[in-house]
Amino acid sequence: MRNTRSWPRRAAAAILTLTMAAGLGACGDKADGGAAGQSIEDIMKTAQANMADVKSMSYDMTMSMEMKANDETLKIATSGKVDQIVDPITMKLDMNVDMGEVGNMNTAMYVAQDGDKYMLYTGIDAGDGNLVWQKQEMADTSAFDQMDARESFDLYLSSAESFKENGTETVAGAEATRYDGTISEEDLAQVLEASGVMDQFSSLGITGDQLDTMLTDLGDLPISLWISKADQIPVKYEMDMTAIMQSLMGKMMDSMGAGEDDKLDVANVLVSMTVSNINGVESIEIPAEALNAAAA
C-alpha cells in the first residue's frame, strides 16, 4: 500500500530539486561549426562572441526527472518555451510542469523593460486552466537573469573543459557539430553559485558551512553542445545532472534532519535546451490581463 502521507513532504523536496535543476540548467553558451584550421577553444570563443551579438531568439527547454522513495516513483516532466528580445529587454515564457498524479501546473511570465526599470508579469494556473496574474516592478534584472539563454550558454562555454568533436547532426533545421565535454568539479561550484542554485538552499536556513560541505565531492558534470556550422552559434545543449542532483539533495536532506520516510533517491535528471528563430523575434505582446493585474 502507498504511504500517501509522506508524499507531500517528498513532493515538496521534488519541487525544490526541480527548481535547483532548472536554475543550473539555465546556464550555457555557444560554439562554431568546426571551421577548418580552428582549434576547439577558438570555436568556443567564436561562438561566445556570435551569441553576444544575437538580438532576439526563441528556445525550448525540457527537463525530465525521476525520483524514488522505497517502492514509490515520482516522475516530473517540465517543458518551457521562451521568446527573447535583447534590447529593450522583453521576454515571454510558457512553462508546464507535469508531476503525474501529484498534479500538473502551467505558468506564464512576461518581462518588459521601461527605461531603467523592469516589469515582471507572472501568471499561475488557478487549477482550472485559467491563469491568475500579478505584476511587479523590478529595479534590476536579477529576478529573471536565468531566462537569458545568451548568459546561460556563455557560462557553460567558459566553464566546460576538454571538448571533443562528436559528429554532425541536424538541430532545429540547421546542420550543427556536436561537442562533448565536462564542467570540472572545481568549476562546478562557481557555476552553481552563478546559476542561483545555492540560493535555494540558503532560503531553507542551511548555513554557509553546510553549503560548503554540500559542494564537496560532486564530481564532474557532463555536457554536450551543438554549434551551427553555418553561423557558428550554439543551437542546443544537453546535460545529465543525475549524479550531481542526487548528491546535493542527499546532503540537503541530511542537513535538514530528514527521516527515512522523507528521503528521495534522484534516479534521473536530464536537461536540454534548443535554440531557434535567431534574430527572428520581432515583437512580444503582453496580454491585457497581465498588464491590468494587481501589483504584487
Side-chain angles (χ1 to χ4, degrees):
M1 173 181 278
R2 285 190 154 208
N3 181 5
T4 56
R5 288 180 297 177
S6 66
W7 267 112
R9 293 192 296 269
R10 293 173 182 166
I15 291 172
L16 176 58
T17 305
L18 179 67
T19 303
M20 292 186 296
L24 180 56
C27 307
D29 196 323
K30 65 180 184 181
D32 103 348
Q38 280 190 301
S39 68
I40 290 182
E41 182 179 0
D42 288 339
I43 287 169
M44 298 300 163
K45 289 180 179 178
T46 300
Q48 284 180 287
N50 290 342
M51 182 62 100
D53 289 336
V54 168
K55 305 304 180 186
S56 69
M57 74 179 82
S58 301
Y59 67 84
D60 293 274
M61 185 173 181
T62 63
M63 183 188 313
S64 61
M65 182 168 69
E66 182 177 341
M67 309 183 77
K68 297 181 179 180
N70 299 321
D71 59 345
E72 301 177 16
T73 299
L74 175 63
K75 294 182 178 181
I76 303 176
T78 302
S79 60
K81 181 175 179 59
V82 175
D83 292 331
Q84 175 182 358
I85 297 174
V86 174
D87 188 19
I89 295 174
T90 314
M91 296 182 183
K92 172 187 176 182
L93 164 67
D94 289 312
M95 184 173 69
N96 174 264
V97 180
D98 185 355
M99 298 178 66
E101 64 185 61
V102 177
N104 185 77
M105 182 175 69
N106 293 308
T107 303
M109 183 182 297
Y110 290 86
V111 176
Q113 182 177 359
D114 182 11
D116 59 355
K117 297 180 180 180
Y118 307 88
M119 291 302 301
L120 176 63
Y121 305 89
T122 306
I124 299 176
D125 195 333
D128 57 2
N130 294 313
L131 297 177
V132 177
W133 289 92
Q134 66 176 21
K135 61 184 178 183
Q136 185 175 3
E137 184 178 294
M138 315 294 293
D140 55 43
T141 63
S142 58
F144 47 85
D145 277 344
Q146 292 178 7
M147 291 173 59
D148 189 340
R150 299 181 313 146
E151 297 294 334
S152 296
F153 276 108
D154 186 71
L155 178 57
Y156 284 140
L157 283 178
S158 60
S159 300
E161 299 177 349
S162 305
F163 272 117
K164 294 183 179 179
E165 187 175 330
N166 188 16
T168 301
E169 303 173 22
T170 299
V171 178
E175 188 176 7
T177 303
R178 173 174 173 165
Y179 298 91
D180 296 333
T182 60
I183 297 176
S184 69
E185 181 176 338
E186 181 180 356
D187 289 337
L188 185 57
Q190 179 181 353
V191 172
L192 287 166
E193 292 287 356
S195 69
V197 168
M198 303 314 295
D199 292 339
Q200 304 296 327
F201 294 110
S202 298
S203 67
L204 295 174
I206 295 176
T207 67
D209 289 342
Q210 290 172 323
L211 288 176
D212 289 340
T213 300
M214 291 169 64
L215 290 174
T216 60
D217 301 321
L218 288 177
D220 297 338
L221 173 63
I223 182 171
S224 297
L225 294 167
W226 284 257
I227 311 300
S228 168
K229 298 186 72 173
D231 48 22
Q232 300 186 354
I233 290 179
V235 290
K236 182 179 179 180
Y237 72 70
E238 286 184 352
M239 294 185 295
D240 184 344
M241 296 164 40
T242 306
I244 288 170
M245 297 313 299
Q246 172 63 40
S247 177
L248 288 172
M249 174 56 70
K251 293 174 182 176
M252 182 198 74
M253 299 298 278
D254 288 341
S255 297
M256 298 175 65
E260 289 301 318
D261 285 343
D262 295 322
K263 290 189 176 181
L264 290 167
D265 175 42
V266 181
N268 192 289
V269 182
L270 302 175
V271 176
S272 70
M273 178 188 289
T274 303
V275 178
S276 62
N277 201 23
I278 295 172
N279 293 326
V281 181
E282 297 182 357
S283 63
I284 295 174
E285 183 177 352
I286 301 175
E289 53 268 34
L291 293 171
N292 298 327

